[in-house]
Amino acid sequence: MRKLLKPIKDVGIVGYGAYVPRYRIKAEEIGRVWGVSSFPIEEKAVPGLDEDALTIGIEAARNALKRAGIDPKLIKAVWFGSESKPYAVKPTGTVIAEAIGATPDVSTADFEFACKAGTEALQTTIGFVGSGMAEYAMAIGADTAQGRPGDHLEFTAGAGGAAFIVSEKSSETVAYFEGSYSYVTDTPDFWRRQHEHYPRHGNRFTGEPAYFHHIVNAAKTLMEELGLTVNDFDYAVFHQPNVKFPLTVGKILGIPREKILPGLLTGIIGNTYSGATMVGVSAVLDIAKPGDRILWVSFGSGAGSDAFSIVVQDAIEEKRDLAPKTMDYVNRKKYIDYALYAKARRKYIM
């Protein structure tokens, strides 16, 4: 039985873009308030008072359009993945599609699957374009992640996102998809019920039975289906709830940390949830050379992983400088204290 997901037509990424808010709070500042002295990351990005997952998605989408160099009217789908969308009942995708000039001849939808909502949207765009239904389709993953005050998630829950425009593989695509694979089970590791402000986590379920089980199995199956080994990849980007977990996956799979670190940004911007691997891959594309192969594996609680193998093409050399690079946003920062952070994130709402 074939497990590999591969469309009829070869497809690739014709444009990509990321966005990370300017504000930062250091982990030690959060620790100062809660009496904690050891931290899983150094600092994280915090959205401004006028920013949310929607505005992050718009900025990322505009950057992707700059690199794609296409008329937004040609985009026939704008699919948005997030677990912090601003409306409970009203699609975010419609607002983004309108903002970039893609309406009205376009399909939009909001995707949910915890931290892999963005790559779930990407899987759908691959099928949409690969079937011939559309010339271009956009997938976005963005979040302003939530963490209950004092909970260990508060140290890592960051903000950011990225957008990818998919088209048929050509000389204009910056990278093409060799194939993808999704691995899903019903594993209750992390959830947030309706009307709750903050998520809950199932402690012993979050590591081995959830994160590691799904990512490792997704990565191994994808490589087996494609007839590749870890030595065939120049970079690897794994979901990054912290710095330790993706490096541990690297050890399990036999991937050296040098291939993981370029796309491992959680230590300096936090876990951007649906945007985590998408922002990581955008950072890798900013530095990759034609011919480089990237292993890309997301993870979403509940639980599942999407795994992709992409190969960088010649067009990356001329397109990567057409929009701000991911590290431009990462390095553009302004530090705030816990009081301003609590105000920006409305932490007074328990």
Side-chain angles (χ1 to χ4, degrees):
M1 180 181 68
R2 185 179 118 167
K3 299 179 180 179
L4 186 71
L5 300 176
K6 189 172 176 63
I8 297 170
K9 295 182 177 182
D10 288 332
V11 301
I13 300 165
V14 72
Y16 71 96
Y19 178 79
V20 178
R22 172 190 305 271
Y23 297 105
R24 301 285 186 278
I25 184 169
K26 286 189 173 292
E28 63 183 4
E29 171 64 7
I30 300 174
R32 179 186 66 81
V33 172
W34 298 108
V36 177
S37 57
S38 62
F39 320 111
I41 66 171
E42 180 182 340
E43 60 191 39
K44 68 176 188 175
V46 180
L49 289 171
D50 60 348
E51 291 183 311
D52 57 18
L54 190 160
T55 63
I56 290 171
I58 290 173
E59 293 296 333
R62 286 173 172 166
N63 285 334
L65 270 171
K66 289 176 183 177
R67 290 194 173 99
I70 62 172
D71 183 345
K73 294 290 185 184
L74 296 174
I75 297 175
K76 296 306 174 188
V78 176
W79 290 326
F80 177 78
S82 178
E83 64 176 83
S84 56
K85 55 183 185 166
Y87 296 100
V89 180
K90 185 189 184 303
T92 308
T94 56
V95 184
I96 297 175
E98 187 81 38
I100 65 173
T103 55
D105 304 314
V106 63
S107 168
T108 67
D110 290 5
F111 283 65
E112 291 186 7
F113 196 135
C115 293
K116 86 174 188 80
T119 56
E120 196 69 51
L122 183 63
Q123 286 279 40
T124 311
T125 62
I126 291 171
F128 202 51
V129 173
S131 68
M133 288 183 67
E135 187 177 0
Y136 299 99
M138 177 183 286
I140 305 166
D143 262 308
T144 53
Q146 313 95 6
R148 185 182 301 277
D151 187 270
H152 74 261
L153 286 177
E154 187 178 28
F155 288 93
T156 57
F164 292 82
I165 301 174
V166 174
S167 71
E168 189 172 352
K169 179 188 174 185
S170 71
S171 61
E172 291 298 310
T173 46
V174 300
Y176 68 90
F177 292 93
E178 291 187 293
S180 61
Y181 170 73
S182 294
Y183 184 90
V184 172
T185 71
D186 181 18
T187 304
D189 60 314
F190 177 97
W191 66 92
R192 178 168 61 85
R193 290 188 177 275
Q194 191 174 11
H195 306 306
E196 290 185 339
H197 292 291
Y198 302 109
R200 301 173 185 269
H201 40 89
N203 292 317
R204 66 189 180 91
F205 288 100
T206 60
E208 184 58 39
Y211 179 91
F212 293 108
H213 176 76
H214 291 80
I215 286 190
V216 170
N217 276 283
K220 285 183 175 179
T221 303
L222 178 70
M223 288 188 281
E224 289 170 2
E225 290 287 306
L226 290 171
L228 300 172
T229 71
V230 293
N231 296 324
D232 294 310
F233 291 91
D234 300 281
Y235 297 97
V237 180
F238 302 118
H239 180 58
Q240 38 202 268
N242 49 47
V243 175
K244 180 181 178 180
F245 276 23
L247 291 176
T248 301
V249 168
K251 290 181 180 179
I252 294 171
L253 295 174
I255 300 174
R257 61 189 289 128
E258 306 84 65
K259 294 185 178 182
I260 300 173
L261 291 176
L264 180 52
L265 305 180
T266 290
I268 49 178
I269 64 171
N271 178 8
T272 55
Y273 283 28
S274 298
T277 59
M278 299 178 85
V279 174
V281 170
S282 70
V284 170
L285 287 174
D286 285 340
I287 61 172
K289 303 184 300 295
D292 284 346
R293 180 180 278 117
I294 303 168
L295 176 61
W296 173 359
V297 190
S298 65
F299 170 77
S301 292
S305 285
D306 297 319
F308 308 87
S309 176
I310 64 175
V311 178
V312 181
Q313 297 176 249
D314 292 340
I316 192 68
E317 300 287 15
E318 62 184 74
K319 285 193 170 186
R320 70 170 121 230
D321 292 323
L322 297 179
K325 294 179 181 177
T326 306
M327 292 306 296
D328 292 339
Y329 288 115
V330 173
N331 294 326
R332 177 207 66 161
K333 53 190 174 181
K334 180 178 180 180
Y335 289 103
I336 58 176
D337 61 17
Y338 193 89
L340 287 175
Y341 160 72
K343 179 180 179 181
R345 301 299 294 129
R346 295 173 172 85
K347 291 287 182 176
Y348 46 81
I349 301 176
M350 302 297 287

